[in-house]
Amino acid sequence: MSLIPSSLFGGRRTNVFDPFSLDVWDPFQDFPFPSTALSAPRSEVAKETSAFASTRIDWKETPEAHVFKADLPGLKKEEVKVEIEEGKVLQISGERSKEKEEKSDKWHRVERSSGKFLRRFRLPENAKADQVKASMENGVLTVTVPKEEVKKPDVKSIEISG
């Protein structure tokens, strides 16, 4: 067991020190708590935090926009919310429902996550938060935030006398 996330060294989690990412990481997610009544609420929190932070999102910047892509397999666009808070924070949230369990079912492994997820990103100053577009195709959510055009300074030629 390690208190440092293994994804820190070689995984896809490249935004641990990124000031724009507002991820939540639970360092005790895999900690073996004793099986007591006191630990039951803790394990629920760990599961919820894990689902909360496990939705993987890529963020790239092009000359025209900031583009966010999230893999959300099995979700419909109606189950996902994209919001801008305070004009500068992009919030992507939703909920993946748990599969119904039948008493006659015998589960061998449960690896797919379920529950609520929420990811927040502080947008840079050049983002046009009032022109955000979102689309979902084949379980991939794409959020496009246009950028303000960089104004080139006016250059005025001055004639040299002499």
Side-chain angles (χ1 to χ4, degrees), residues 10 12 26 41-42 45 47 49 54 61 68-69 73 80 88 90 106-107 109 120 139 141 156 162:
R12 288 191 45 175
D26 182 7
R42 173 70 186 105
V45 170
K47 286 180 192 174
T49 302
S54 68
E61 183 175 353
F68 298 83
K69 289 196 176 209
V80 178
K88 58 187 172 194
L90 172 66
K106 178 180 176 185
W107 290 86
R109 183 175 297 269
R120 301 175 80 199
L141 173 70
K156 184 177 181 182

Side-chain angles (χ1 to χ4, degrees), residues 17-82:
F17 302 106
D18 182 356
F20 295 115
S21 177
L22 302 174
D23 273 351
V24 172
W25 171 62
D26 182 7
F28 301 107
Q29 174 180 344
D30 297 319
F31 194 79
F33 288 104
S35 181
T36 66
L38 292 174
S39 69
R42 173 70 186 105
S43 63
E44 277 303 309
V45 170
K47 286 180 192 174
E48 194 170 308
T49 302
S50 174
F52 176 86
S54 68
T55 302
R56 303 267 187 206
I57 298 181
D58 296 337
W59 176 3
K60 73 175 177 180
E61 183 175 353
T62 68
E64 299 81 28
H66 295 275
V67 180
F68 298 83
K69 289 196 176 209
D71 290 337
L72 303 173
L75 290 182
K76 300 176 187 133
K77 66 180 183 177
E78 296 82 15
E79 298 170 316
V80 178
K81 283 173 55 175
V82 177

Side-chain angles (χ1 to χ4, degrees), residues 91-122:
Q91 180 171 298
I92 300 171
S93 62
E95 185 170 4
R96 182 173 289 122
S97 301
K98 201 173 193 179
E99 192 170 321
K100 287 186 177 182
E101 294 184 30
E102 301 291 330
K103 291 197 183 244
S104 61
D105 291 345
K106 178 180 176 185
W107 290 86
H108 293 277
R109 183 175 297 269
V110 178
E111 294 183 343
R112 298 182 307 147
S113 63
S114 62
K116 295 180 182 180
F117 65 89
L118 171 78
R119 294 292 305 275
R120 301 175 80 199
F121 299 91
R122 183 171 288 115

